[in-house]
Amino acid sequence: MSAPIVIVGAGQSGLQVAESLRSEGWEGGILLLGEEAVPPYHRPPLSKAYLAGKAEEAQLFIRSPEALAKKRIDFRPGSRVAALDIARQTLTLADGSQLDYEGLALATGARNRALPLPGAELDGVFGLRTLDDTRRIADALAATEAVVVIGGGFIGLEFAAVAAAQGKRVTVLEAAERLMARAVPPALSDFYLALHRAHGVRVELGVSVAAVLGEQGRAHGVRCADGREFEAGLVVAGIGVLPNDELAAAAGIACDRGILVDACSRTSAPNVVASGDCTVTRLEDGSLRRLESVQAAVEQGKSAAAALLGRERPFSARPWFWSDQYEVKLQMAGLAAGADRSVLRGSQEAHAFSLFHYRGEQLLAVDSLNQPQVHMLSRRMLDAGRSPTPAQAADSGFELNTVLATPAPATSS
């Protein structure tokens, strides 16, 4: 028998590679190796609906083992790959067994940055990345009244919102001078600062955390560099993630803070593709771009499957993301880096508005809060390369869909 296509990583992207291979006509073997002991699951609800008790664990799973078997996908949970030999096209598992592959997809994901503090090893200190993390956090949250969140990014703030909604005393400690500074403009940072404080969350900006305090092996507080201490029976760290590129790098595959891939998810090694949070793309100007999103996981997975079959399917759509905090849904389309002005559409007081970000007259990105129709139209406009004028975007009475209906300007040959 010929060797199968092997997929390392059974998250959203690895699953997408497997299912796209089948839907694109691959009739050979497909082996899906998952390091966790559970079937593929949705990760975004972990810090949102699932932790808030609004979704059952069974709802998290994308495909059951039985559903995968019907598609002739050999799913093996609890399988950790220890080494990769790209010359021999073999994998070595942690138990010492070896597997041959005809094609290989690396969808190894990312892991939480370790909290580099004294006391980080204490019981009651968690990162929030996996289903097992969330199970343990849910148990700890039920047993405590005071919570400290280290890091004011999406994950930390989503957890803070869930904890505050359950009546806990929540403190958020952020080293930067504003919340979500890497992802949103200052106007949105200010909005979310006010939103969290209105829900009773204590937010401290520009603070450095020195240590997690504990007794008898359990955390009971956090000390900042300025000497202030905050009570906490539960500490959740949301200080970013690191791509799991060590397996690829050790095998000689090009990496640079992630596995380097092109628009079609191809790596520097023959018959090896990569997709999802473990990857990074080098742009034309030489800069690197990592996209940690469901969209990127899915679309890169489709590109990776096509590449393994010798086809071109570049991932070219503008990126989009979302975050749920309290009653506010933030939906982001495009990337605002390089924008030189932004215009407001809607009402900040009503928690229903969008920020349109421009470079000159060209629309780069749109951040929408509780405006799902604007978000969907924005994605369509960005993918089509169409821009409302800043004046049109700011006018809530202007119908944005007319921008898509207008013939595109002629281009010179």
Side-chain angles (χ1 to χ4, degrees):
M1 294 179 61
S2 60
I5 290 178
V6 177
I7 303 158
V8 182
Q12 183 99 52
S13 200
L15 173 65
Q16 186 64 59
V17 176
E19 295 193 326
S20 292
L21 285 168
R22 279 288 177 250
S23 65
E24 292 294 322
W26 172 255
E27 292 297 328
I30 299 175
L31 179 56
L32 179 62
L33 302 176
E35 191 164 331
E36 294 183 64
V38 293
Y41 59 87
H42 295 287
R43 198 176 299 276
L46 295 180
S47 59
K48 305 178 182 75
Y50 176 63
L51 195 56
K54 297 178 181 179
E56 299 294 328
E57 186 168 302
Q59 296 174 275
L60 298 177
F61 297 114
I62 308 173
R63 298 287 183 272
S64 67
E66 294 76 19
L68 293 172
K70 287 182 180 179
K71 296 184 178 184
R72 293 182 292 118
I73 297 170
D74 183 1
F75 170 55
R76 300 186 190 177
S79 298
R80 186 175 70 84
V81 177
L84 162 63
D85 188 327
I86 58 177
R88 296 174 55 204
Q89 295 196 180
T90 62
L91 297 170
T92 301
L93 301 185
D95 64 6
S97 61
Q98 289 194 334
L99 298 170
D100 296 330
Y101 67 83
E102 180 168 332
L104 177 66
L106 299 175
T108 48
R111 64 189 183 279
N112 286 325
R113 289 182 181 274
L115 191 61
L117 298 174
E121 76 289 349
L122 292 167
D123 288 344
V125 181
F126 300 95
L128 204 172
R129 180 74 184 173
T130 67
L131 177 56
D132 187 54
D133 290 337
T134 312
R135 288 167 173 163
R136 294 185 295 128
I137 288 172
D139 290 341
L141 184 60
T144 190
E145 294 302 318
V147 175
V148 166
V149 179
I150 301 175
F154 285 128
I155 292 294
L157 293 179
E158 288 168 357
F159 170 73
V162 169
Q166 295 183 17
K168 309 300 181 181
R169 300 194 310 276
V170 182
T171 301
V172 174
L173 304 175
E174 168 55 47
E177 294 301 326
R178 61 186 182 91
L179 297 174
M180 301 181 289
R182 292 187 302 163
V184 304
L188 283 186
S189 296
D190 293 343
F191 172 85
Y192 275 96
L193 176 61
L195 179 68
H196 279 273
R197 286 177 171 168
H199 283 81
V201 175
R202 179 171 184 172
V203 181
E204 298 288 340
L205 301 174
V207 297
S208 176
V209 179
V212 179
L213 307 175
E215 290 180 355
Q216 299 180 340
R218 171 162 289 279
H220 65 69
V222 170
R223 178 185 295 132
C224 294
D226 60 11
R228 287 183 296 167
E229 295 184 1
F230 299 93
E231 180 189 356
L234 169 62
V235 178
V236 172
I239 58 173
V241 299
L242 295 171
N244 294 324
D245 61 359
E246 293 82 1
L247 181 67
I253 297 173
C255 298
D256 190 343
R257 288 158 287 176
I259 303 172
L260 282 165
V261 295
D262 64 11
C264 293
S265 297
R266 293 174 293 223
T267 73
S268 63
N271 302 320
V272 181
V273 297
S275 62
D277 289 355
C278 63
T279 66
V280 63
T281 304
R282 192 176 300 282
L283 305 181
E284 292 181 0
D285 63 3
S287 63
L288 299 174
R289 185 172 75 180
R290 289 191 63 239
L291 297 174
E292 300 169 26
S293 70
V294 171
Q295 176 214 22
V298 170
E299 295 303 323
Q300 281 191 313
K302 293 176 182 178
S303 296
L308 288 171
L309 299 177
R311 302 167 190 164
E312 296 272 327
R313 192 188 189 283
F315 169 32
S316 58
R318 298 294 181 94
W320 52 264
F321 316 86
W322 82 92
S323 177
D324 293 323
Q325 298 173 42
Y326 306 109
E327 73 282 2
V328 177
K329 177 179 282 291
L330 168 62
Q331 295 173 290
M332 309 165 69
L335 298 171
D340 52 34
R341 63 170 160 168
S342 302
V343 298
L344 173 70
R345 180 187 183 92
S347 168
Q348 292 193 53
E349 293 74 18
H351 293 183
F353 67 95
S354 297
L355 290 173
F356 285 67
H357 306 289
Y358 289 85
R359 182 169 58 229
E361 297 294 310
Q362 181 64 44
L363 182 65
L364 297 183
V366 181
D367 299 326
S368 299
L369 285 80
N370 291 338
Q371 290 195 323
Q373 290 183 319
V374 174
H375 171 70
M376 294 306 298
L377 284 169
S378 299
R379 285 167 53 180
R380 292 174 59 195
M381 288 188 292
L382 289 165
D383 284 344
R386 313 297 286 278
S387 298
T389 68
Q392 289 170 337
D395 180 2
S396 295
F398 176 75
E399 295 290 342
L400 292 171
N401 55 9
T402 61
V403 176
L404 292 164
T406 304
T411 57
S412 56
S413 59

